[in-house]
Amino acid sequence: MLTLLSMFYYICLRRRSRSGTRGEALTSRRAVESGQRAVLPVSVEMEQYAKEVLDFSSHYGSENSMSYTMWNLAGVPNVYPSSGDFTQTAVFRAYGTWWEQCASAPPPFRRTPKGFYSQDYIELGFEEPVYPTAVEVLETYYPGAIVQILACSHNPFSQNPPTDVRWEVLWSGEPTKVLTPQARQFSPNIKHISFPTNLLRLEVNSSLLDYYTELDAVILRGVKERPMLALYKMPIIDISGLSDSEEELSDVGGPFRQGGDGKHQRTGNGYFDKLPYELVQLILSHLTLPDLCRLAQSCKLLHQHCCDPLQYTQLSLQPYWARLSDASLGHLQSRCTLLQRLNLSWTGNRGALTLAGFSSFMKGCGLSLVCLELSCCHFLNEACLEIISQTCPELQELNLSSCDRLHPQAFTHISKLTRLRRLVLYRTKIEQTAILNILTFCIELRHLNLGSCVRIEDYDVVASMLAARCHSLCSLDLWRCRNLTDRGLAELVSGCRMLEELDLGWCPTLQSSTGCFQHLARSLPRLRKLFLTANRTVCDSDVEELAASCPSLQHLDILGTRLVSCASLKKLLQSCPKLLLLDISFCSQIDMRVVQELCGLFPNVAIKKSFTQ
């Protein structure tokens, strides 16, 4: 009996040691053998606010100010417990599903796990590494967007570069829509982890929200010493799943197996062998990438199916950003020879991907690539963009959103990708010379995002080049470009008459008194989306011209204007039957009673009317 118990303890410890360190396994063994309570360390819980914002995917604010930026999440609360729209909070760039409905939105990737909800993220560094006991997020407006909280083993303030970075999920959940937009303190039950941390990551999904979510501060509570369980609890182990060693790929799919009498017996795979190859491929196309890789280890027959390059024409590695490495790309490389769409967004940071690993993968898999998503990939450098320009001759879509650490000189290589149709450069350091060079050669562009590109000196020159070279342009995002004038806008809309989406939000140099917005409406009859956010000069005549000239309008944002009346809005709603979103927040001439009346008359239109409390 004692021998059986000893063997059972050995198996349990072996199973535990696979996911823990040798020290953890020995500690567990001593606790089991002694059968006594472990000694609890005496430790006082610490409370910390974020010391620094280290990284983020997007924000509503400007790169040169603090209003509505992610940097507001550092330090103590500025607003909480107050509720409402405040410039001192952190606000992400988008909310709802409006951006997904636009022509500029790329189609979703196949095989994206159903449990992956994240659309944006922010990483926060704290002063002291602790074992987390609680994380509290102070949400001041439209809460409910947080879907995941993670902790990292790396100390971001350490002078020594990390050799092994480990991320652990503290909490995850589905996107929610809280019934009230009022402030709240969000403090979910978190998982206990085996390492101290002073680096947290919040991931959000704002698709269910009626307006922008606003965050004020994040509190990390924890202890300096690792807490131990008061009583060791034996884990429940499925003995049938135990294995003392990693087995080689089995030959279950082979046609013969040697029997006990030395003769070969026909085994096969039953009716499974009779299924058409294409049908098996269709069945496997519904699996996620990890499941496909696991299934490939089951037998030779399924290994052949799971490694077929036709299963990897689309590959989204963004959901696995925390685990992706050079070795991961190397493992997938032989399967991706027919790869057409690749999503590496958020991957490779803090040394997880290197130039050598990325270059090797692109050289082996870039020939057929038409879409490459690289949002927030801080491992990228000029050599990486040069490799892309050399190995991806068919590339039509390139997303470098928030790759804000790329040197300005690196963007010159994009001009070699002459087949580009969609280019996203939001929050990058691209300069005027590079963008003009790109527009000179990439004349097939359909969608261009230059939002928050603060290094471009003269947007009038860029607009003139667009008008001269990119006549097929369908969408243009110039969010927070601070020097576009009515002259540049007039050239743009005269030369790019195919425009359906135009974002001129927070462009303060455009003035309605010049007639630029009315000229815009008359020149772009196909217009479906127009953002004039925070332009105080937009007036009734502009809205009425949109109503008369743009019957296909679906999204209109005139937040902040004080010169628009209820009468012109009603005319717009009557003339644009396809309208889905109308943001009239902070329009002082329109009160809530009128908004409620308009909502009743036009129930299919989401009319947004936010205000500061």
Side-chain angles (χ1 to χ4, degrees), residues 404-510:
D404 56 339
R405 301 172 199 179
L406 267 172
H407 191 274
Q409 183 64 29
F411 296 98
T412 57
H413 296 285
I414 298 177
S415 62
K416 304 169 189 174
L417 301 168
T418 56
R419 298 194 178 186
L420 274 182
R421 296 193 172 195
R422 175 174 166 263
L423 178 60
V424 181
L425 298 172
Y426 167 72
R427 287 193 66 240
T428 61
K429 291 184 171 64
I430 188 168
E431 293 179 345
Q432 186 156 315
T433 302
I435 187 60
L436 293 178
N437 196 31
I438 291 170
L439 297 180
T440 300
F441 295 98
C442 301
I443 60 175
E444 296 183 24
L445 275 175
R446 302 290 192 275
H447 308 285
L448 178 62
N449 188 331
L450 295 176
S452 293
C453 291
V454 296
R455 296 287 189 96
I456 297 177
E457 299 172 357
D458 191 340
Y459 273 94
D460 280 353
V461 176
V462 174
S464 179
M465 181 65 81
L466 282 167
R469 303 290 294 174
C470 301
H471 299 295
S472 299
L473 198 65
C474 177
S475 73
L476 177 62
D477 191 328
L478 297 178
W479 173 264
R480 291 190 180 274
C481 72
R482 302 199 62 82
N483 51 35
L484 179 70
T485 69
D486 58 291
R487 180 178 59 83
L489 182 59
E491 281 195 67
L492 175 70
V493 298
S494 297
C496 301
R497 291 184 173 271
M498 303 293 288
L499 273 172
E500 297 180 13
E501 303 174 27
L502 184 57
D503 193 332
L504 300 173
W506 293 89
C507 296
T509 49
L510 293 174

Side-chain angles (χ1 to χ4, degrees), residues 110 308-315 335-336 338-342 369:
R110 297 199 297 263
D308 192 315
L310 289 174
Q311 289 289 338
Y312 301 87
T313 57
Q314 291 191 28
L315 185 62
R335 309 181 185 192
C336 297
L338 300 179
L339 187 62
Q340 296 178 2
R341 301 184 70 220
L342 175 63
L369 209 60

Side-chain angles (χ1 to χ4, degrees), residues 230-256:
L231 180 65
Y232 184 89
K233 295 182 180 180
M234 181 67 69
I236 301 174
I237 299 176
D238 181 8
I239 298 179
S240 63
L242 292 175
S243 173
D244 284 336
S245 63
E246 297 293 332
E247 298 293 335
E248 296 294 329
L249 183 66
S250 63
D251 198 20
V252 179
F256 297 99

Side-chain angles (χ1 to χ4, degrees), residues 3-15:
T3 303
L4 289 174
L5 286 174
S6 300
M7 291 177 62
F8 184 64
Y9 290 151
Y10 169 76
I11 292 171
C12 294
L13 290 170
R14 183 179 178 84
R15 183 66 174 264

Side-chain angles (χ1 to χ4, degrees), residues 56-314:
F56 55 90
S57 56
S58 76
H59 61 181
Y60 186 89
S62 166
E63 301 301 295
N64 299 321
S65 74
M66 292 295 290
S67 297
Y68 297 121
T69 63
M70 289 296 118
W71 299 303
N72 286 324
L73 266 185
V76 299
N78 298 308
V79 173
Y80 188 85
S82 299
S83 299
D85 187 294
F86 291 91
T87 61
Q88 302 96 318
T89 58
V91 184
F92 290 98
R93 177 68 184 88
Y95 73 95
T97 58
W98 320 114
W99 282 259
E100 299 169 7
Q101 299 170 357
C102 295
S104 58
F109 277 78
R110 297 199 297 263
R111 297 191 190 280
T112 301
K114 292 182 179 180
F116 180 73
Y117 304 107
S118 304
Q119 296 175 335
D120 275 298
Y121 74 85
I122 181 168
E123 293 181 1
L124 302 167
F126 296 79
E127 184 70 37
E128 295 290 338
V130 295
Y131 292 93
T133 55
V135 176
E136 299 170 6
V137 185
L138 306 183
E139 303 171 280
T140 55
Y141 205 38
Y142 284 92
I146 298 172
V147 293
Q148 195 156 243
I149 302 174
L150 302 99
C152 186
S153 61
H154 168 54
N155 183 343
F157 305 117
S158 172
Q159 299 299 319
N160 301 319
T163 55
D164 182 28
V165 177
R166 176 182 173 190
W167 286 92
E168 194 79 40
V169 177
L170 299 180
W171 173 87
S172 64
E174 298 181 6
T176 57
K177 181 179 180 179
V178 180
L179 296 178
T180 172
Q182 303 304 310
R184 74 168 184 177
Q185 180 174 298
F186 179 61
S187 182
N189 292 325
I190 64 172
K191 172 185 174 182
H192 294 290
I193 57 176
S194 59
F195 56 82
T197 184
N198 62 337
L199 172 54
L200 295 183
R201 177 179 172 118
L202 308 183
E203 295 185 355
V204 304
N205 180 315
S206 303
S207 61
L208 298 183
L209 301 186
D210 290 330
Y211 206 66
Y212 297 96
T213 190
E214 300 192 7
L215 312 178
D216 193 15
V218 177
I219 303 170
L220 171 62
R221 299 183 187 275
V223 293
K224 294 289 289 183
E225 299 178 58
R226 183 179 178 184
M228 301 292 291
L229 293 177
L231 180 65
Y232 184 89
K233 295 182 180 180
M234 181 67 69
I236 301 174
I237 299 176
D238 181 8
I239 298 179
S240 63
L242 292 175
S243 173
D244 284 336
S245 63
E246 297 293 332
E247 298 293 335
E248 296 294 329
L249 183 66
S250 63
D251 198 20
V252 179
F256 297 99
R257 181 182 296 163
Q258 187 171 344
D261 56 359
K263 297 181 179 180
H264 287 87
Q265 301 173 351
R266 190 171 187 87
T267 58
N269 294 287
Y271 289 107
F272 192 75
D273 278 334
K274 299 181 180 180
L275 291 176
Y277 190 91
E278 293 80 5
L279 181 57
V280 178
Q281 287 287 292
L282 178 61
I283 293 171
L284 297 185
S285 69
H286 294 279
L287 295 178
T288 63
L289 181 63
D291 288 340
L292 197 65
C293 293
R294 294 186 191 103
L295 189 62
Q297 302 176 34
S298 60
C299 67
K300 285 186 176 178
L301 176 66
L302 290 176
H303 183 270
Q304 178 186 359
H305 280 286
C306 293
C307 294
D308 192 315
L310 289 174
Q311 289 289 338
Y312 301 87
T313 57
Q314 291 191 28

